């Protein structure tokens, strides 16, 4: 519905839409200048008093003859206001959304438009380095929960007019700001068309959990597949480099992590620290990460296979096997340990930082020692699960680490129940799941391995001297 020409009707309608007087932080301010009334509406928590004071002064500095030249909202912007960020709007719904987003709406007599003043000052924390993506060298800033700050952090690194951020409003209730960022001359066209189409067709009430709510809304059909379809990052340098390579980033207000599309499995294995190191050192770290990943997946199931077939080991490797009898099958010990480790992780998340060290000591020493002495676990089970738990932190992506965890648990269960054939079947199932997984736009999750592209895969697996990109 559009604004009326009559000021009283506009004021009556906006008061009704805002439910004025019911909530303490919705403010109406009336300014009477030379027998002309102006009505201002804003939210108390988003506006600084000094900014509104400048508007009030601008209005009082106008002379009576100046008002004869100001007949519309556009005239006031051009001739009477010193504020830089201001525009006009004639739709009531958009005006209310703007006010609830932190803008100030100014109504005048005989106007069919309102002046929208952008004086927003959202509460925000500093741009500290994210805990999960720390690096030894390079920048140490990170995204925050304010979308404008996040776009500025990317703009600081990409000073190119081809970089654009398209703003959307998502959620019939929350009306959350969402920005799609990309380089117009490098963007993946198919991905951009798909994401814009999904956003336009998205019908949800709110993005309560920010990025995760958005992912679930656009990818609800494959919720049984644990492999992530969008890469998360809280580092502006990583996001900037991905944009310059043709990827698309999605920034959601009130969320410090951004989404990168499209993303395959090799994208999740990249770490910023690899590219801040010298070429030789960076490649070494990459190789170590890949080897640790293989060990993370295969150590428990292979050990279960060896305990069931001890004759496969030579005499000098027999020390790997348990020396004493055990009450619980080895594969069940691994599965119970997997659950126990996740339980300790959840406990540590809810433990005050001052007690975190105590929890680690209790969980790692007392519980581990007790389970061995009482016969629940063997010493080898504790050792290998400790290796697996620590090695999972070498992967930059938490989401991918959990996907590999589920693959490992499936391998352990099938190997323990069906032996060698179970191990083979588990590998086939995991490979089939990976091969059938698609990115958010329907392309191969294993690209550039499938379909094979040597030029692309060598840049993902190894870093080259002439390569300037940082992932």
């Amino acid at each position: 519905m559009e604004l009326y020409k009559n000021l009283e009707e506009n004021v009556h309608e906006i008061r009704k839409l805002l439910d004025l007087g019911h909530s303490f932080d919705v403010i109406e301010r009336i300014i009477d200048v030379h027998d002309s009334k102006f009505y201002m509406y804003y939210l108390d928590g988003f506006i600084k008093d000094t900014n509104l004071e400048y508007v009030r002064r601008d209005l009082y500095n106008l002379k009576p003859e100046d008002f004869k030249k100001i007949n519309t909202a556009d005239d006031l912007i051009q001739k009477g206001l010193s504020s830089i960020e201001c525009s006009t709007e004639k739709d009531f719904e958009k005006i209310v959304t703007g006010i609830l987003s932190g803008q100030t709406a100014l109504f005048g007599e005989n106007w069919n438009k309102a002046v929208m003043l952008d004086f927003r000052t959202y509460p925000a924390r500093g741009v500290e380095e994210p805990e999960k993506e720390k690096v030894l060298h390079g920048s140490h800033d990170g995204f925050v929960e304010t979308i404008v700050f996040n776009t500025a952090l990317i703009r600081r690194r990409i000073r190119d007019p081809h970089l654009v951020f398209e703003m959307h409003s998502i959620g019939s209730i929350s009306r959350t700001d969402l920005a799609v960022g990309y380089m117009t001359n490098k963007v993946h066209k198919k991905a951009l068309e798909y994401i814009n189409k999904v956003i336009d067709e998205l019908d949800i009430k709110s993005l309560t959990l920010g990025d995760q709510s958005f992912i679930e809304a656009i990818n609800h059909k494959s919720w049984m597949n644990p492999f992530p379809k969008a890469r998360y990052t809280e580092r502006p340098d990583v996001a900037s480099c991905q944009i310059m390579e043709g990827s698309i980033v999605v920034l959601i207000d009130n969320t410090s992590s951004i989404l990168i599309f499209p993303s395959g499995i090799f994208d999740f294995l990249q770490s910023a620290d690899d590219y801040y190191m010298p070429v030789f050192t960076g490649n070494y770290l990459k190789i170590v990460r890949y080897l640790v990943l293989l060990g993370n997946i295969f150590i428990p199931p292979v050990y279960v296979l060896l305990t069931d077939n001890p004759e496969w080991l030579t005499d000098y490797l027999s020390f790997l096997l348990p020396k004493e009898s055990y009450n619980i099958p080895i594969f069940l010990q691994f599965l119970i340990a997997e659950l126990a480790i996740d339980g300790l992780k959840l406990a540590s998340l809810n433990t005050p930082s001052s007690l975190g060290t105590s929890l680690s000591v209790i969980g790692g020493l007392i519980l581990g020692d007790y389970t061995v002495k009482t016969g629940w676990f063997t010493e080898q089970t504790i050792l290998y699960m400790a290796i697996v738990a620590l090695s999972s932190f070498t992967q930059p992506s938490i989401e991918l680490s959990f996907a590999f965890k589920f693959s490992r648990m499936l391998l352990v269960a099938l190997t323990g129940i069906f032996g060698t054939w179970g191990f083979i079947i588990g590998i086939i199932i995991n490979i089939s799941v990976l091969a059938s997984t698609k990115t958010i736009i329907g392309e191969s999750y294993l690209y550039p391995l499938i379909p094979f592209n040597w030029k692309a895969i060598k840049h993902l697996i190894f870093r080259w001297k002439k390569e300037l990109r940082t992932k």
Side-chain angles (χ1 to χ4, degrees):
M1 185 173 65
E2 295 186 355
L3 265 66
Y4 307 104
K5 193 74 173 179
N6 185 278
L7 176 60
E8 293 182 358
E9 292 181 0
N10 290 332
V11 169
H12 174 75
E13 187 67 28
I14 200 69
R15 285 175 175 172
K16 183 174 68 174
L17 292 173
L18 291 174
D19 196 11
L20 194 68
H22 198 182
S23 182
F24 79 94
D25 58 343
V26 181
I27 308 298
E28 177 188 66
R29 178 76 162 86
I30 305 174
I31 301 176
D32 196 335
V33 183
H34 303 303
D35 297 328
S36 295
K37 283 189 176 182
F38 297 91
Y39 287 77
M40 299 174 66
Y41 297 91
Y42 56 91
L43 293 183
D44 190 25
F46 290 156
I47 303 296
K48 284 187 177 181
D49 296 342
T50 52
N51 292 333
L52 292 182
E53 177 64 17
Y54 295 142
V55 176
R56 189 192 67 82
R57 290 181 183 180
D58 288 340
L59 293 175
Y60 276 107
N61 286 334
L62 292 174
K63 298 177 182 179
E65 55 268 22
D66 294 330
F67 277 91
K68 296 179 181 179
K69 303 176 183 178
I70 299 175
N71 300 313
T72 65
D74 293 299
D75 290 339
L76 182 66
I77 291 176
Q78 297 171 10
K79 303 173 183 178
L81 294 180
S82 58
S83 303
I84 300 299
E85 294 189 57
C86 54
S87 60
T88 59
E89 181 56 61
K90 61 181 179 180
D91 185 88
F92 271 114
E93 184 177 352
K94 292 181 179 179
I95 292 172
V96 170
T97 301
I99 294 172
L100 297 177
S101 299
Q103 293 180 293
T104 300
L106 178 65
F107 294 85
E109 295 179 357
N110 300 320
W111 292 358
N112 61 350
K113 292 181 181 180
V115 176
M116 303 301 295
L117 302 161
D118 199 341
F119 296 141
R120 285 177 282 192
T121 54
Y122 290 143
R125 59 184 174 90
V127 290
E128 295 89 0
E129 184 177 21
E131 285 290 328
K132 184 63 179 70
E133 298 179 271
K134 287 186 175 181
V135 294
L136 296 175
H137 302 293
S139 62
H140 294 278
D141 54 353
F143 289 126
V144 294
E145 287 74 18
T146 307
I147 193 171
V148 178
F149 290 4
N150 294 341
T151 56
L153 289 171
I154 296 176
R155 288 279 185 192
R156 186 180 180 186
R157 290 167 169 81
I158 305 178
R159 300 172 182 178
D160 191 303
H162 291 103
L163 174 62
V164 298
F165 292 100
E166 298 178 355
M167 185 64 75
H168 302 267
S169 182
I170 306 297
S172 58
I173 296 177
S174 68
R175 294 186 175 91
T176 305
D177 290 332
L178 180 149
V180 179
Y182 59 91
M183 299 282 287
T184 55
N185 59 336
K186 296 183 179 182
V187 67
H188 192 300
K189 301 293 184 183
K190 182 179 178 181
L192 181 61
E193 291 176 2
Y194 176 81
I195 290 173
N196 282 332
K197 179 183 177 183
V198 167
I199 291 175
D200 292 338
E201 296 177 353
L202 207 57
D203 184 19
I204 58 176
K205 293 182 179 180
S206 66
L207 291 181
T208 309
L209 298 178
D211 47 12
Q212 186 56 37
S213 297
F214 179 73
I215 289 294
E216 292 177 1
I218 67 176
N219 194 43
H220 57 86
K221 293 182 180 179
S222 58
W223 64 273
M224 284 290 291
N225 191 324
F227 288 95
K229 306 301 188 301
R231 184 182 175 189
Y232 296 81
T233 185
E234 295 186 38
R235 295 191 61 88
D237 51 355
V238 172
S240 301
C241 291
Q242 289 291 139
I243 291 174
M244 288 189 288
E245 291 179 359
S247 297
I248 300 166
V249 299
V250 174
L251 302 91
I252 302 175
D253 201 20
N254 301 314
T255 303
S256 60
S257 59
I258 73 164
L259 306 172
I260 302 174
F261 298 103
S263 295
I265 189 169
F266 291 102
D267 295 309
F268 292 99
L269 298 175
Q270 307 300 306
S271 174
D273 227 358
D274 297 344
Y275 294 88
Y276 280 122
M277 293 290 184
V279 176
F280 186 84
T281 307
N283 285 330
Y284 167 75
L285 293 175
K286 278 175 171 281
I287 293 173
V288 169
R289 186 176 296 108
Y290 296 141
L291 292 177
V292 170
L293 171 61
L294 292 176
N296 181 275
I297 296 174
F298 288 107
I299 284 178
V302 168
Y303 185 73
V304 171
L305 202 59
L306 292 176
T307 56
D308 292 340
N309 302 275
E311 67 276 6
W312 291 1
L313 292 175
T314 58
D315 291 338
Y316 64 90
L317 292 178
S318 61
F319 72 91
L320 296 173
L321 299 177
K323 300 299 182 182
E324 300 177 358
S325 60
Y326 43 87
N327 301 318
I328 300 176
I330 294 294
F331 83 96
L332 278 180
Q333 292 184 27
F334 278 118
L335 294 178
I336 294 172
E338 293 274 11
L339 298 177
I341 289 173
D342 286 336
L344 287 174
K345 288 180 181 179
L346 293 174
S348 65
L349 289 175
N350 296 305
T351 303
S353 57
S354 58
L355 301 177
T357 304
S358 301
L359 177 66
S360 300
V361 172
I362 294 173
L365 297 180
I366 299 178
L367 294 181
D369 183 61
Y370 176 80
T371 53
V372 172
K373 288 183 177 180
T374 56
W376 277 81
F377 293 162
T378 64
E379 295 176 349
Q380 289 83 355
T381 301
I382 295 293
L383 171 64
Y384 296 138
M385 278 310 303
I387 294 174
V388 167
L390 291 175
S391 65
S392 63
F393 292 107
T394 63
Q395 299 305 320
S397 172
I398 297 176
E399 296 77 23
L400 190 64
S401 294
F402 272 102
F404 288 141
K405 177 188 183 69
F406 299 139
S407 300
R408 180 176 64 247
M409 292 177 69
L410 176 66
L411 267 177
V412 169
L414 291 176
T415 303
I417 297 172
F418 301 108
T420 304
W421 281 109
F423 182 77
I424 296 173
I425 292 171
I427 291 178
I428 293 173
I429 291 175
N430 284 322
I431 293 176
S432 299
V433 171
L434 264 177
S436 61
T437 301
K438 303 295 182 182
T439 65
I440 201 74
I441 59 173
E443 295 182 345
S444 173
Y445 196 64
L446 295 176
Y447 178 83
L449 186 62
I450 301 175
F452 187 77
N453 184 333
W454 170 244
K455 184 177 180 181
I457 200 171
K458 74 177 183 179
H459 285 294
L460 279 172
I461 297 179
F462 299 107
R463 185 178 153 209
W464 301 87
K465 185 175 180 181
K466 293 182 179 179
E467 187 178 12
L468 297 179
R469 76 173 192 165
T470 303
K471 277 213 133 185

